[in-house]
Amino acid sequence: MRPFDYRHSASRAEAIRLAASQSSAVQFLAGGTTLVDLMKLDVMQPAIVVDINGLADELSDIRLDGDELRLGALARMSDVADHPDVRREYPVIAQSLQLAASAQLRNMASLGGNVLQRTRCPYFRDVSWVACNKRNPGSGCSAIGGIARSLAILGTSEACIANYPGDFAVALAALDAKVELQGPAGRRVIAFSDLHRLPSDAPHVETTLLPGELIVGFNIPTASWTRRSLYLKIRDRKSYEFALVSAAVALDLDGDVVRDARIALGGLATKPWRSIAAEASLRGQRLTADLARAVAEVALTDARAEGDRAFKAELGRQTLVRALLQCGAMEI
Amino acid sequence: MAQDDLSRSPTRRTLLAGAAGAAASLPILANATSPKPSAASANANANVSLALNVNKRAWRLTLDPRTTLLDALRHHIGLTGSKKGCDHGQCGACTVLVDGRRVLSCLTLAVSVQARPVATIEGLASDEQLHPMQAAFIEHDAFQCGYCTPGQIMSAVACVEEGHARNDEEIREYMSGNLCRCAAYPKIVAAIRDAAAKMRA
């Protein structure tokens, strides 16, 4: 690990000021489960680490407020996953967190850090591969043509096929969540779907965060579909593994007719992948196995599943079919 | 390395002879008070002075800020019960409790847990009385090589206290962050099931 200057800040304004002063070389430290790991691997090399755990008292709220769920950026994954209001009113949120990582990591990792976790692309994590457009912009991509079965088939570019690895962010994308940010220029609230960028020709720029900006929290609206929601995660082993494919699904049903729906996919895309076209193809229809299959075809239409990740398109379709039918059968 | 690092690495023998023996050169604070962490810190690579509270004892150390809690415990305090397996948060051998919650000490910077209570395997037994989880692991033969065992036991204690050990399936799910390359899993589950009943009683 390279040397860094450790700062501990008990004030939000001070933390942001420190981070804005040398933005590219500064990282906030919350749970550290991504940062410390990647610093040991020499993938991340911050000159300054600003420990924000002193802000936990003000940024750890888990609160159901009438028409929305408020989650502070420093709330820990385990506390949100176990929260009775979240489990009852937003099953897809609770499940996405509970099915992620391990009990120890969930105790450590903050929600803000969780959504910013870096890809698990093996060529990104191993610096002996010089060509990685995320690590070394312009150097090329070792994964294209390499071993890529865990990587993305949606949202890829000629420069990068690294998948977004998280689960919670997929649930947030499905549910129209907003994310509150605070930076040197003040506060702003953006749609969660606008937080992550597609790799395009600049895969090293992963988010739309401005220099020094800190994630303060998440607001997830309560809607007619939030109670009937679930997260289905398919992986190589039963527990403690990243998704090969996952689906976050929420349905508002009138009998067996879909009034409204929210769908996002994980594991197989370069960012948390909302499928608005798939949602539209459900609306006003009777939820049947045939309809679910047709919706899944729509959701994966743009998939570029080649070589050793060709299987992920069909796995994605079958995962979404199962998620939709299970969600439709939920008793709420 | 830290200026007051234990240049004489504690050996297994010195540790067995007395937990504090290997670390006797370190000043031990009477109370677990810590200096208030300062936002104004020194330049990169400068050592930091910090206070750790481990197994209800206070330690003042001067460490490179890169030092993980695991390395601080093992190399600077001399508590080698917590094990270094993968050193990347994937195996669970380094599991300790911070603020009563199980975490991975290999991904925790020591400087970030100042003054928060840290509990390791060495502090689990009270006097000569093993913790029910330790006793159950022995009774059920829940290990072979034993390398993952301190992490398994610390994780298992937390698993029970969290209320996540109500049945075998739940134990398997909530213990999935602790790998055992000897594959003693069936016996680990049996030990936790047994200890959970005793801990609740």
Side-chain angles (χ1 to χ4, degrees):
Chain A
M1 195 186 299
R2 301 191 184 213
F4 58 86
D5 187 4
Y6 173 85
R7 313 282 186 100
H8 182 282
S9 181
S11 135
R12 227 187 287 181
E14 182 188 51
I16 290 162
R17 186 180 54 72
L18 282 169
S21 60
Q22 298 183 50
S23 58
S24 63
V26 179
Q27 291 291 331
F28 292 120
L29 173 71
T33 56
T34 291
L35 181 62
V36 176
D37 178 32
L38 291 181
M39 286 167 69
K40 286 184 178 185
L41 291 172
D42 210 25
V43 172
M44 294 180 78
Q45 304 163 352
I48 301 176
V49 170
V50 179
D51 186 340
I52 55 171
N53 288 297
L55 309 178
D57 286 348
E58 53 181 300
L59 294 183
S60 298
D61 40 334
I62 306 171
R63 201 174 63 242
L64 199 53
D65 254 359
D67 58 354
E68 68 175 16
L69 173 65
R70 168 72 186 185
L71 299 174
L74 287 179
R76 304 293 152 163
M77 292 171 74
S78 53
D79 292 329
V80 182
D82 279 346
H83 198 284
D85 290 347
V86 180
R87 293 170 69 95
R88 187 182 62 252
E89 300 297 332
Y90 293 82
V92 64
I93 299 268
Q95 291 163 14
S96 71
L97 290 163
Q98 192 189 325
L99 293 171
S102 68
Q104 291 96 316
L105 289 165
R106 293 191 297 268
N107 275 344
M108 302 169 74
S110 68
L111 297 187
N114 179 265
V115 302
L116 296 178
Q117 68 184 295
R118 310 295 298 277
T119 182
R120 305 296 293 190
C121 174
Y123 301 96
F124 170 76
R125 289 175 57 80
D126 180 348
V127 296
S128 68
W129 296 94
V130 174
C132 173
N133 286 322
K134 269 193 192 298
R135 272 189 285 107
N136 305 317
S139 63
C141 175
S142 300
I144 295 174
I147 295 170
R149 75 181 287 278
S150 64
L151 303 179
I153 60 171
L154 286 167
T156 56
S157 74
E158 297 302 313
C160 186
I161 58 170
N163 62 328
Y164 176 80
D167 299 296
F168 173 57
V170 179
L172 291 178
L175 296 184
D176 294 318
K178 302 234 180 295
V179 55
E180 184 183 341
L181 311 171
Q182 187 172 341
R187 288 189 183 208
R188 64 185 180 122
V189 176
I190 63 170
F192 182 76
S193 301
D194 294 332
L195 179 64
H196 292 90
R197 288 179 75 260
L198 289 171
S200 180
D201 58 356
H204 61 291
V205 185
E206 296 180 349
T207 70
T208 55
L209 288 171
L210 300 172
E213 259 185 336
L214 179 69
I215 296 180
V216 175
F218 305 90
N219 297 328
I220 306 116
T222 302
S224 52
W225 52 81
T226 40
R227 261 199 177 195
R228 183 184 293 282
S229 66
L230 61 76
Y231 190 74
L232 180 60
K233 182 172 179 178
I234 305 299
R235 39 193 166 170
D236 279 335
R237 58 183 181 191
K238 192 176 175 188
S239 180
Y240 195 19
E241 182 58 280
F242 290 92
L244 278 173
V245 170
S246 68
V249 168
L251 295 173
D252 176 16
L253 294 183
D254 178 8
D256 59 357
V257 174
V258 180
R259 266 194 296 248
D260 212 341
R262 290 293 181 273
I263 295 172
L265 298 172
L268 43 54
T270 52
K271 62 174 272 186
W273 195 263
R274 172 98 180 262
S275 181
I276 289 171
E279 294 167 7
S281 67
L282 264 176
R283 229 165 264 133
Q285 308 286 318
R286 279 187 61 230
L287 181 59
T288 63
D290 286 347
L291 176 70
R293 181 70 202 184
V295 169
E297 297 287 347
V298 171
L300 275 296
T301 301
D302 296 332
R304 294 187 57 184
E306 296 156 356
D308 59 357
R309 61 195 196 287
F311 74 100
K312 292 184 87 170
E314 180 57 17
L315 187 62
R317 284 188 284 267
Q318 293 195 20
T319 302
L320 182 52
V321 168
R322 202 170 118 197
L324 287 167
L325 295 177
Q326 280 184 10
C327 190
M330 278 175 69
E331 298 199 358
I332 59 169
Chain B
M1 295 296 284
Q3 284 165 353
D4 64 352
D5 181 19
L6 297 173
S7 51
R8 305 163 306 286
S9 280
T11 63
R12 205 165 172 79
R13 185 175 303 276
T14 57
L15 282 166
L16 289 170
S25 62
L26 289 172
I28 296 170
L29 303 178
N31 297 303
T33 54
S34 74
K36 209 163 179 66
S38 168
S41 68
N43 295 325
N45 219 5
N47 289 335
V48 290
S49 177
L50 59 98
L52 291 180
N53 177 348
V54 181
N55 299 332
K56 298 178 180 166
R57 284 178 66 180
W59 299 84
R60 184 176 287 279
L61 305 168
T62 301
L63 298 176
D64 184 313
R66 292 173 284 187
T67 311
T68 61
L69 177 58
L70 177 62
D71 285 342
L73 291 169
R74 290 180 56 84
H75 302 314
H76 299 273
I77 295 179
L79 295 173
T80 55
S82 306
K83 295 292 185 270
K84 183 178 287 195
C86 68
D87 208 24
H88 284 278
Q90 299 180 3
C91 76
C94 67
T95 302
V96 301
L97 310 186
V98 174
D99 289 328
R101 294 156 62 103
R102 49 178 159 161
V103 300
L104 300 172
S105 59
C106 78
L107 291 185
T108 302
L109 295 178
V111 68
S112 71
V113 293
Q114 293 198 57
R116 294 162 63 191
V118 176
T120 72
I121 188 74
E122 289 90 344
L124 202 54
S126 46
D127 299 326
E128 295 302 305
Q129 186 78 33
L130 289 180
H131 186 282
M133 192 63 73
Q134 292 172 303
F137 266 65
I138 293 170
E139 188 179 334
H140 289 270
D141 197 17
F143 46 82
Q144 287 184 46
C145 81
Y147 194 79
C148 73
T149 308
Q152 296 279 0
I153 289 177
M154 295 310 288
S155 191
V157 168
C159 184
V160 173
E161 288 175 352
E162 290 161 10
H164 290 145
R166 291 169 297 183
N167 54 56
D168 288 4
E169 189 184 0
E170 196 177 44
I171 291 169
R172 287 193 192 95
E173 172 60 32
Y174 280 87
M175 288 296 292
S176 67
N178 291 84
L179 306 188
C180 171
R181 295 308 301 269
C182 306
Y185 297 113
K187 295 184 174 187
I188 292 170
V189 172
I192 296 172
R193 187 200 313 133
D194 187 8
K198 289 176 177 143
M199 286 169 69
R200 283 192 286 262

